[in-house]
Amino acid sequence: MAVREIHLELLLGKSVLDSTGKAIGRIEEVRAEQLGEEWIVKEYLIGYAAVLERLSAWTIGLGILHLLGAHKIYGNYTVPWDKLDLTDLDKPRLRCSLDTLKSLNEQPQDIE
C-alpha cells in the first residue's frame, strides 16, 4: 500500500459523493491515530452531527435539536479510511454503496 500525505485542512468541508455521484454530506471531522511520528487516518465524519463534534458542542447541540422537536439525526456517516476515494481531492467519493455504508453505521442516531 502506498503512503500518501494529504493536507486535511483542504479536505474539510468537501462534499462527498456516493457511488452514483450523489452528494451525501460534507467532511466535517477526521479521526486519526498517532503511530510513532506519523498520524494515520482511521475515519472521516460526514454530516451535521460531525459539525457539532468538531465544535465540541455535541451535548448543547443535541439539546437544542431536541427542543426544536428533532428526535433522530439522519444523514450522518462515519466513513472508514479505506471506504473513501481521495484520488480527486476536490470530489471525494465513496468506494462502497451508500447502503453498504449505512449498514456499517448505526442510522439514525437517537437524540436523548
Side-chain angles (χ1 to χ4, degrees):
M1 176 173 63
V3 176
R4 182 173 177 200
E5 284 188 28
I6 295 175
H7 290 271
L8 291 177
E9 69 274 11
L10 300 177
L11 199 55
L12 292 175
K14 296 287 185 183
S15 184
V16 175
L17 306 176
D18 68 8
S19 56
T20 67
K22 180 182 173 190
I24 65 162
R26 296 185 180 278
I27 298 173
E28 300 294 350
E29 183 71 39
V30 178
R31 290 184 180 154
E33 178 179 293
Q34 189 171 11
L35 295 173
E37 294 183 14
E38 303 288 327
W39 284 90
I40 309 300
V41 171
K42 294 297 183 183
E43 57 194 12
Y44 302 90
L45 303 180
I46 299 171
Y48 302 113
V51 172
L52 294 175
E53 184 171 325
R54 178 163 43 127
L55 298 175
S56 299
W58 184 246
T59 304
I60 295 168
L62 288 179
I64 292 170
L65 289 173
H66 187 68
L67 286 173
L68 295 174
H71 297 286
K72 296 189 183 288
I73 299 174
Y74 294 89
N76 294 290
Y77 305 103
T78 300
V79 181
W81 72 271
D82 61 339
K83 301 291 186 216
L84 192 61
D85 180 358
L86 298 175
T87 304
D88 181 351
L89 292 179
D90 289 326
K91 296 180 183 176
R93 183 179 290 268
L94 290 180
R95 289 187 172 164
C96 61
S97 70
L98 186 55
D99 289 337
T100 300
L101 182 63
K102 286 179 180 178
S103 71
L104 295 173
N105 287 253
E106 294 178 9
Q107 288 289 327
Q109 297 176 7
D110 289 326
I111 299 174
E112 303 268 336

